[in-house]
Every structure is written in structure tokens, then in C-alpha cells.
Amino acid sequence: MKRLVILGFGGYGKTIEDVVLSAELYDEIIFLDDGSSDKRVCGKCTDFEKYIDADTHFYPAFGNNTLRIKWIDTLLEKGAFVPTIIHPQAYVSKNAVIGVGCTVLPNATVNVTAVLGKGCIVNFGAVVDHDVVIGDGVHLCLNCAVKAYNHIPPYSKIEAGKIILNNTFKQEN
């Protein structure tokens, strides 16, 4: 039986739950959250270690990009498995590189030779075009598009509906 422990019971945590339920990716879902008294929350985020086993995955569902990466690093250091969640209704090229802890939500596209760093969110309907490099912890909001040959810096947030034209962002040397 595969279990997912979602750290964070906010909007993003509930979105991850909904996506993995609709895609039937896990048999059981548990929430950990430091600020919620909801009956579905089984403890604080720091309680995660008691759930580590071979059949359990952990996803830090925090909208704060820096916090999400910090938790991914903590989980990995403790030997927890952090999945990359790709919904079956998303298109991800076989020639794209997707980092650990990324989420690619329904109707999103990650095109050929695109690279996503760890912990990125490619939200509903977002498009990452060919030859784009997305840094760690980037959040691409609903229906935004990052056109070809861009390098989006780590921890950036591209707002809903925004279109990043070709060659707009370049990697600094």
C-alpha cells in the first residue's frame, strides 16, 4: 500500500491531495501541519520521521518557494522519499529533465529539452517551452507560458496568465 504524507494543509496541500486522488497515485494520504487543528491533520510537520518507511512518500506542499526547497532538502537528508508528481493529463516530453519534488499539474506542458530544477510547481495549464531552464523552487502559476530559450532564476514566481517571451531571462554568469 502506497502512502503519501503531505506537509501543509493549506491550499496547495489540498490541491496536491485532489490531484493524486484523481490520478489514483496513492492508497492513503496523511496531512501534517503546524498551524491547523483540522481533524484530518495527524500532527506537526516535524513529526514526519515517524512515518518514514519503504511504502511512504512525502510531499512538502508549501506555496512559499524557499520553504518548499528547505523541506525537500530536510526530507531527503533524513532518508525520506520525495516524489515528483506528474498528473496523467499533463504533457511532459520524454526529453525533458524534471527535478525531485516537482509537481506538474493537469493540462500543463513541459516541452522537449526543458529542465526543471527541484521543487518546481508547474500549475494547471502552464507551459514550459523547449530549451527552457527553470531554477529550483520556481512556481509557474495557472496558464502562464515560458517561451523558448529562457532561464528562470531559482525561487521565482511567474504569475497567472503571464507570457515570458523568448530569450527574456538569461542565466547570469
Side-chain angles (χ1 to χ4, degrees), residues 110-114 128-133 146-150 166:
V110 180
N111 211 341
V112 64
T113 64
V128 178
D129 203 2
H130 66 85
D131 300 297
V132 169
V133 176
V146 180
K147 293 178 73 177
Y149 307 110
N150 278 298
N166 290 5

Side-chain angles (χ1 to χ4, degrees), residues 31-34 36 40-47 50-51:
F31 283 97
L32 300 176
D33 189 278
D34 293 346
S36 177
R40 295 180 54 209
V41 174
C42 298
K44 296 196 177 297
C45 293
T46 53
D47 296 334
K50 71 181 184 180
Y51 293 98

Side-chain angles (χ1 to χ4, degrees), residues 68-142:
R68 189 171 58 256
I69 295 300
K70 184 178 178 179
W71 269 103
I72 288 172
D73 290 341
T74 297
L75 290 162
L76 293 173
E77 287 169 10
K78 296 292 185 176
F81 182 84
V82 178
T84 294
I85 298 171
I86 300 173
H87 193 277
Q89 291 177 349
Y91 171 76
V92 176
S93 169
K94 291 181 186 199
N95 293 307
V97 176
I98 311 296
V100 65
C102 288
T103 302
V104 183
L105 297 174
N107 301 319
T109 299
V110 180
N111 211 341
V112 64
T113 64
V115 176
L116 301 182
K118 72 179 166 185
C120 293
I121 302 169
V122 182
N123 218 318
F124 292 85
V127 175
V128 178
D129 203 2
H130 66 85
D131 300 297
V132 169
V133 176
I134 305 291
D136 290 349
V138 169
H139 181 177
L140 303 176
C141 295
L142 305 165

